[in-house]
Amino acid sequence: MPETQPPTAAAAGPAADAGPAAGAAPVTGATIQLENLSKRYHGSALPAVDSVNMEIGAGELVVFVGPSGCGKSTLLKMINRLIEPTSGRIRIGGEDVTRIDPVKLRRKVGYAIQASGLFPHMTVGDNIGLVPKMIGWSKTKVKDRVEEMLDLVGLDPKEFHGRYPRQLSGGQQQRVGVARALAADPPVLLMDEPFGAVDPITRDHLQDELIRLQRELHKTIVFVTHDFDEAVKLGDRIVVLREQSHIAQFDTPEAILTNPSDDFVSGFVGAGAALKRLNLTRVRDVGIADFPTVSVDDPLQSIFDRLRAGTHSELLLLDRKGRPYKWLRRGDLMRAKGSLARAGTLVGDYVTRDATLRDALEAVLTDSSGRVAVTGRRGEYIGVVDMETLMNSVHELLEEDRLSAMEAQHELEETRAQQTHLAQEGGAAAGPVPENGAGSSVAGGGGRLEGK
Amino acid sequence: MNFWEYLGNRHQQLLADAFQHASAVFQCMVIATLLGVLIGVLTYRREWAGNLAITSTATILTVPSLALIGLLIPVLGLGVAPTVTALVLYGLLPITRNAVVGLRGVDPTLVDAAKGIGMSRAARLLRVELPLAWPPILTGIRVATQMLMGIAAIAAFASGPGLGNQIFRGISSLGSSNALNEVLSGTLGIVILALLFDAVYVLIGRLTISRGIRA
């Protein structure tokens, strides 16, 4: 039961860069490969899930998103065989698990569901310790693990260990649900609309928690939701599913937002794709400009001189701890008759470097002069972001996205051409390779469409 | 002899009968509980099987107890055998029905969750489904016990044990000086026993139903 490694220094944002590259931190997850996975129910003409091919990298957080009835939950439940596939293959960490004992499979795959699914007749501790106990951990080891897990999801072990689920709020129940799913340290975690039943504020918190957890743990997580914004926020990559679990697009959130593969996807992305794109970038990723500053401790005369001589008509006054305090304009000091206390306008809003560009834009828009101060961890001044910087970086981002999307498209076409070429050259030789199988080998981080 | 004098005179006989009565009901309840829960567990997942179990146990209950015991005597003879058989059969309905209904009433998402975290069929049943269905099953057991207390009195008809003997003796000697005392003491004894059993069930419920699901 190794203590989870601390988050690597400045681990990139959850939705940073494309693909399964999970950075330098050790990856505890395992790959998931679905090969021609289908589910056909008796008495229905069309299969519920139709020949899905997918490869999910180790340590990746992939979100299945799609309208209700598209079979996303069915597809998820086929990974731990709560729903047995009619045909096809599932591999986890390279091992074919399609035919092994499902109980054994499920102990390697954590499972968290909507409304937590906690057993009401067991205490929080018993719920979390259930799986470790079943796989034969010693009592003390189980007890330690339960405390560790409660700690991990941000609940005080002493306070919550002996409580029953009904004594917890919805958000707390959901945390315990996640703790239970992770208790036996499975490499893979399946989450079926886990935050669907909690209020929006709690959901936001839980999402942030999940991002933090994933940064620490690097599991392979498959997350099902019908909320596209949630998908964008959480996913390293997103699978947009249409009816019968046909993959409409499987790509990074950036690529889906900027370059939806077809009308279905763009319809699902909904209005305001550019705005949603802003959620994916942090202030630290864009140019933070310098702004002339003075301190409240500076002699009044020097402030006066700088205001008059400087190329800027405005200064940012910092308080004694270096935090943004007031915006000072050229005429302000005169009008206030030389009193710093009365001069200038108080700094209303500021953002941290971890804030999303959307937050920054919000702050800039509400500020009368169109800029916002950026602060560090202790609130100290770092720089300023203004409308122009924002505009430029957004344009750059969109352009970049467009280019990488085009590149991915190009790559895809090349693979397809290669495939057709292969098929034409030696149709019989390539026989056992399923048509889509070849595609998965070049999946990488780029866009991949299901060959239909 | 008034009632109190009667009680004073016959208390030893009465206590022995009461003990036998209680012991017969208790043993029959143990058998009926095991059988009823077993039938419930075996049938609840199939619609038709569960319904068949409930309907057939309900049918048994419609047979008048005197008739059932009368019918059992030629097959099993007199004494304990027909008594136990009849009591177990009557006790089955409430337990089987509540077991089936209780097990079917377990939230399917919880069963799904139990499956999803890797619990085997047996573990699911023993750790999740039965504990959650236990409150209704216990209610069934309680109802069955109350019923059996009364029905056990009929067992005296087949020379069975218990307070029924007092009642039958009284009825067969109506008009004699002690007839009323005999019937009254038997009946009151049964009522008191039933109340005592019920109190025990409340205690059992307190001890065995998890605090997390207690109403």
Side-chain angles (χ1 to χ4, degrees):
Chain A
M1 179 190 51
E3 177 62 36
T4 46
Q5 64 285 341
T8 36
D17 299 335
V27 170
T28 56
T31 55
I32 302 173
Q33 288 154 289
L34 308 181
E35 296 166 13
N36 291 313
L37 208 58
S38 296
K39 178 67 189 179
R40 204 177 279 276
Y41 286 106
H42 273 294
S44 66
L46 293 170
V49 171
D50 186 20
S51 191
V52 171
N53 284 282
M54 193 183 290
E55 187 171 331
I56 296 168
E60 207 179 359
L61 199 166
V62 167
V63 182
F64 292 176
V65 67
S68 27
C70 69
K72 53 188 189 297
S73 262
T74 311
L75 186 58
L76 183 86
K77 285 179 179 169
M78 280 162 81
I79 297 177
N80 67 356
R81 287 172 54 208
L82 277 178
I83 294 175
E84 289 286 354
T86 316
S87 62
R89 217 179 272 284
I90 310 155
R91 287 177 200 278
I92 292 181
E95 185 198 356
D96 187 347
V97 295
T98 328
R99 295 274 168 269
I100 68 165
D101 177 11
V103 171
K104 232 180 251 167
L105 161 67
R106 288 173 200 145
R107 288 183 185 171
K108 289 196 293 186
V109 180
Y111 184 56
I113 59 174
Q114 181 163 16
S116 82
L118 294 180
F119 303 129
H121 59 295
M122 298 183 191
T123 61
V124 166
D126 288 343
N127 264 292
I128 297 174
L130 199 55
V131 186
K133 226 182 272 173
M134 278 190 306
I135 56 177
W137 290 17
S138 72
K139 253 193 183 143
T140 47
K141 200 174 162 194
V142 172
K143 197 170 157 272
D144 290 346
R145 182 64 174 174
V146 168
E147 295 203 351
E148 188 190 337
M149 293 321 290
L150 277 171
D151 225 29
L152 184 73
V153 296
L155 296 174
D156 178 18
K158 274 198 204 74
E159 191 186 342
F160 287 94
H161 187 279
R163 288 213 200 168
Y164 284 96
R166 68 169 176 188
Q167 296 166 314
L168 307 180
S169 71
Q172 289 166 341
Q173 287 185 15
Q174 210 55 62
R175 282 160 201 258
V176 178
V178 173
R180 182 177 69 180
L182 289 171
D185 206 19
V188 174
L189 176 60
L190 307 180
M191 307 183 85
D192 193 355
E193 298 206 30
F195 310 147
V198 292
D199 63 273
I201 295 171
T202 312
R203 189 182 318 149
D204 223 43
H205 279 298
L206 289 170
Q207 289 167 348
D208 292 341
E209 288 277 287
L210 182 65
I211 293 171
R212 178 183 65 77
L213 271 181
Q214 175 64 350
R215 227 182 271 179
E216 285 179 32
L217 301 178
H218 294 283
K219 302 284 181 193
T220 305
I221 300 181
V222 184
F223 189 106
V224 164
T225 180
H226 57 259
D227 178 359
F228 190 74
D229 292 329
E230 186 168 63
V232 168
K233 182 169 177 185
L234 295 176
D236 293 329
R237 285 196 290 165
I238 297 177
V239 186
V240 183
L241 295 166
R242 63 171 103 223
E243 70 288 351
Q244 294 175 267
S245 288
H246 285 140
I247 298 175
Q249 192 166 5
F250 183 9
D251 216 327
T252 59
E254 290 88 342
I256 290 179
L257 282 173
T258 43
N259 196 26
S261 65
D262 58 15
D263 287 348
F264 175 82
V265 177
S266 52
F268 203 77
V269 168
L275 273 178
K276 285 173 188 167
R277 180 68 182 79
L278 291 180
N279 270 336
L280 289 170
T281 314
R282 312 266 153 188
V283 170
R284 64 163 82 248
D285 302 332
V286 303
I288 299 174
D290 269 335
F291 201 78
T293 60
V294 288
S295 164
V296 283
D297 288 334
D298 289 348
L300 205 57
Q301 191 56 44
S302 76
I303 299 177
F304 208 66
D305 289 346
R306 281 193 64 185
L307 264 179
R308 212 157 359 151
T311 43
H312 279 77
S313 60
E314 213 173 2
L315 288 176
L316 179 59
L317 183 63
L318 306 180
D319 68 7
R320 288 203 173 78
K321 286 179 178 159
R323 295 177 299 200
Y325 174 46
K326 272 179 174 178
W327 301 105
L328 282 181
R329 273 174 218 270
R330 194 162 282 168
D332 284 349
L333 268 181
M334 296 282 242
R335 271 192 292 281
K337 301 198 174 72
S339 152
L340 268 186
R342 266 176 290 163
T345 43
L346 282 171
V347 173
D349 216 351
Y350 48 85
V351 292
T352 65
R353 286 198 294 181
D354 280 325
T356 62
L357 281 197
R358 193 182 186 137
D359 296 335
L361 182 66
E362 171 90 30
V364 166
L365 286 177
T366 46
D367 186 279
S368 55
S369 355
R371 69 229 169 322
V372 63
V374 181
T375 57
R377 191 177 302 181
R378 283 175 305 279
E380 78 278 12
Y381 164 83
I382 290 176
V384 158
V385 170
D386 61 15
M387 200 59 168
E388 213 185 322
T389 337
L390 277 180
M391 292 268 285
N392 289 340
S393 32
V394 169
H395 276 298
E396 253 168 55
L397 281 172
L398 293 179
E399 186 63 20
E400 228 170 79
D401 288 348
R402 210 174 53 79
L403 284 177
S404 62
M406 268 167 60
E407 210 168 285
Q409 199 92 28
H410 185 68
E411 216 171 272
L412 187 75
E413 266 158 29
E414 229 165 53
T415 340
R416 278 210 186 126
Q418 226 166 7
Q419 257 175 279
T420 3
H421 186 66
L422 271 176
Q424 279 168 348
E425 285 231 321
V433 181
E435 213 236 284
N436 290 320
S440 60
S441 59
V442 290
R448 190 154 61 90
L449 300 165
E450 194 202 20
K452 240 190 104 175
Chain B
M1 217 192 285
N2 71 20
F3 186 59
W4 298 114
E5 285 167 5
Y6 176 82
L7 283 188
N9 266 340
R10 305 284 178 87
H11 72 270
Q12 231 155 2
Q13 170 72 41
L14 282 170
L15 281 179
D17 276 347
F19 175 76
Q20 282 194 326
H21 198 96
S23 139
V25 169
F26 173 75
Q27 290 176 46
C28 291
M29 276 311 301
V30 171
I31 301 173
T33 302
L34 292 177
L35 265 179
V37 173
L38 184 70
I39 294 174
V41 164
L42 290 178
T43 58
Y44 79 100
R45 256 172 311 153
R46 262 171 297 246
E47 185 72 25
W48 64 269
N51 294 348
L52 180 72
I54 292 175
T55 316
S56 46
T57 48
T59 312
I60 296 173
L61 206 65
T62 60
V63 179
S65 37
L66 202 58
L68 184 64
I69 291 180
L71 287 171
L72 284 173
I73 291 174
V75 187
L76 298 170
L78 289 171
V80 174
T83 311
V84 171
T85 312
L87 290 187
V88 168
L89 283 176
Y90 281 123
L92 277 182
L93 169 73
I95 300 173
T96 305
R97 189 184 50 201
N98 282 25
V100 170
V101 172
L103 285 168
R104 281 183 180 169
V106 173
D107 186 348
T109 61
L110 290 182
V111 181
D112 216 40
K115 247 194 240 176
I117 64 172
M119 297 178 86
S120 64
R121 175 84 201 92
R124 252 159 24 223
L125 189 68
L126 293 177
R127 306 287 316 269
V128 177
E129 291 177 273
L130 278 178
L132 288 175
W134 179 237
I137 294 176
L138 190 64
T139 307
I141 293 173
R142 238 171 115 173
V143 172
T145 309
Q146 305 288 312
M147 250 169 46
L148 292 202
M149 277 294 167
I151 294 174
I154 316 281
F157 181 71
S159 310
L163 287 163
N165 288 311
Q166 290 283 331
I167 302 173
F168 269 88
R169 215 176 298 137
I171 291 174
S172 59
S173 60
L174 273 183
S176 74
S177 59
N178 271 337
L180 191 64
N181 286 337
E182 281 168 337
V183 175
L184 206 58
S185 60
T187 312
L188 279 177
I190 289 173
V191 171
I192 291 169
L193 277 185
L195 289 176
L196 283 177
F197 266 71
D198 217 41
V200 172
Y201 280 124
V202 172
L203 196 69
I204 291 177
R206 276 258 162 235
L207 293 176
T208 57
I209 297 176
S210 153
R211 261 197 310 132
I213 52 172
R214 213 179 288 154

